[in-house]
Amino acid sequence: MTGTDHEHSESVVVAAQWLADQSNPPHPVVPALRGRFGLSVLEACEAAALARKFRTSRQAFA
C-alpha cells in the first residue's frame, strides 16, 4: 500500500508521536528511533515522516 492507504504499525505510530513531542529531536534520527523503539530502518524512516506530519498538523491547527 502507498500514500494515504498505508497503515503504520503501532510501534511506528508510538515512535512518531514521541519524536513529534521532542523539542530537541535526536540527530541522527533513524539510529535513535531504531535504538529506542527497536524499529527496522524502514520503520524508523516511516516514523520520522509521520512525526513531520504530526508536527505540521499541530502547527496548522494550533
Side-chain angles (χ1 to χ4, degrees):
M1 299 180 139
T2 59
T4 56
D5 293 337
H6 185 78
E7 292 184 25
H8 300 286
S9 70
E10 184 177 347
S11 57
V12 169
V13 173
V14 168
Q17 289 172 336
W18 175 84
L19 183 59
D21 288 341
Q22 301 306 302
S23 58
N24 242 350
H27 184 76
V29 70
V30 170
L33 292 175
R34 292 190 73 205
R36 185 175 187 98
F37 296 97
L39 303 176
S40 70
V41 172
L42 177 60
E43 290 171 325
C45 291
E46 289 175 345
L50 191 56
R52 184 176 298 124
K53 289 180 183 178
F54 289 162
R55 279 190 234 100
T56 301
S57 293
R58 287 178 187 169
Q59 291 172 351
F61 297 106

